[in-house]
Amino acid sequence: MDDPERRLVASWRANARAWTRSVREGRIESRRVATDRAILDAVRGLGARRLLDVGCGEGWLARELAQEGVTVVGFDGSRELVVRADQAGGGRFHHLTYAGFAENPSRLGDGFDAVVCNFSLLSEDIGPVLRACRAVLAPHGALLVQTVHPVLGGSEPPYQDGWREERFDALGEGFRSAMPWFFRTLATWIRELREAGLQLHECREPLSPTTGVPLSLLLVASPGPDPGGEPC
Ligand SMILES: C[S@@+](CC[C@H](N)C(=O)[O-])C[C@H]1O[C@@H](n2cnc3c(N)ncnc32)[C@H](O)[C@@H]1O
């Protein structure tokens, strides 16, 4: 199976158990020291009450936000992760791929105050899923994308878009499959948002409290003019 997109989705089925353990046992240092709080603070800053979690994984974000009265709908392409999210509660979770979401964006609801992609945009072609996110946002809503920091956090040179591979070596045993993921530069992230009809408002770079290295890039965008829309 050479197609990286298929291997990417398959890896989240194969690694569901190990990933769930890593998240729930706080094994991922960058999350523990900075990036979990960064996305939670960004959601809180919006005052969001209804949120769509795109690529929700095992559902930690919903569980955190449910305690604050936020209604969360999550979906993910790994049935194994969705089952685990559902068992743990905190939101309504659905098994759905990004392709399925893009085909009919409002199938899980619309008018969301916030749509979150927390380390979940890993494919090469993210235009359709970004446009679907835009479609289900309320006019006042915001899209939050947290991702690997393009400059210092994520990748060996050369600094250019392309497929990379994550082996999860730092997370201990149990990972049965490497995960292909598509690295993109800061310029490409900004262009992807613009081409999907999203206006970038803010760009945050959560730092490691010990090394001062940026651990992620967090983009805040809102619906702009529809790039392919009907003339008014
Ligand atoms: C690194 S995990 C992040 C999970 C969660 N957002 C979190 O913060 O823990 C990436 C998630 O994106 C999901 N994902 C990646 N590509 C997908 C696709 N094409 N369709 C549906 N889910 C996808 C994976 O199944 C996985 O759960």
Side-chain angles (χ1 to χ4, degrees):
M1 202 200 296
D2 280 332
D3 174 10
E5 296 284 353
R6 286 179 57 200
R7 285 178 55 222
L8 163 57
V9 174
S11 74
W12 288 102
R13 294 205 295 270
N15 294 331
R17 179 196 294 258
W19 175 256
T20 301
R21 197 189 53 214
S22 295
V23 172
R24 295 187 184 171
E25 294 179 359
R27 292 186 182 198
I28 309 170
E29 190 188 354
S30 56
R31 289 183 166 229
R32 227 177 34 239
V33 303
T35 65
D36 282 359
R37 171 175 296 194
I39 194 73
L40 287 168
D41 285 351
V43 172
R44 290 174 185 134
L46 297 173
R49 305 319 293 163
R50 282 186 69 238
L51 179 147
L52 182 67
D53 189 1
V54 175
C56 61
E58 55 69 59
W60 76 273
L61 187 65
R63 292 194 298 282
E64 289 289 332
L65 292 170
Q67 298 172 34
E68 301 171 25
V70 182
T71 301
V72 179
V73 177
F75 73 90
D76 199 282
S78 164
R79 188 185 299 279
E80 292 77 359
L81 284 171
V82 171
V83 166
R84 286 168 168 82
D86 215 28
Q87 284 165 348
R92 283 197 296 116
F93 301 100
H94 302 267
H95 177 226
L96 182 66
T97 64
Y98 297 167
F101 175 51
E103 260 172 37
N104 178 7
S106 54
R107 67 200 293 163
L108 302 180
D110 54 17
F112 290 98
D113 304 318
V115 174
V116 173
C117 302
N118 194 49
F119 296 106
S120 58
L121 294 181
L122 303 165
S123 297
E124 179 169 4
D125 182 10
I126 57 171
V129 68
L130 285 178
R131 285 193 292 277
C133 291
R134 178 189 180 282
V136 299
L137 276 171
H140 64 268
L143 172 69
L144 304 175
V145 175
Q146 183 161 225
T147 187
V148 167
H149 194 283
V151 179
L152 289 175
S155 183
E156 297 296 313
Y159 184 65
Q160 63 186 36
D161 298 350
W163 284 98
R164 308 283 197 265
E165 195 140 289
E166 170 62 56
R167 311 192 65 80
F168 302 102
D169 290 340
L171 299 186
E173 293 183 351
F175 285 86
R176 294 159 51 188
S177 174
M179 175 195 66
W181 63 283
F182 195 80
F183 173 83
R184 50 179 57 79
T185 65
L186 182 57
T188 305
W189 275 112
I190 292 170
R191 194 183 66 240
E192 292 279 9
L193 292 177
R194 195 186 57 241
E195 288 179 356
L198 289 151
Q199 260 170 359
L200 182 62
H201 281 297
E202 200 183 336
C203 169
R204 300 185 188 175
E205 296 170 292
L207 301 181
S208 161
T210 48
T211 63
V213 166
L215 295 177
S216 70
L217 176 72
L218 204 164
L219 304 168
V220 185
S222 62
D226 186 344
E230 299 288 314
C232 308

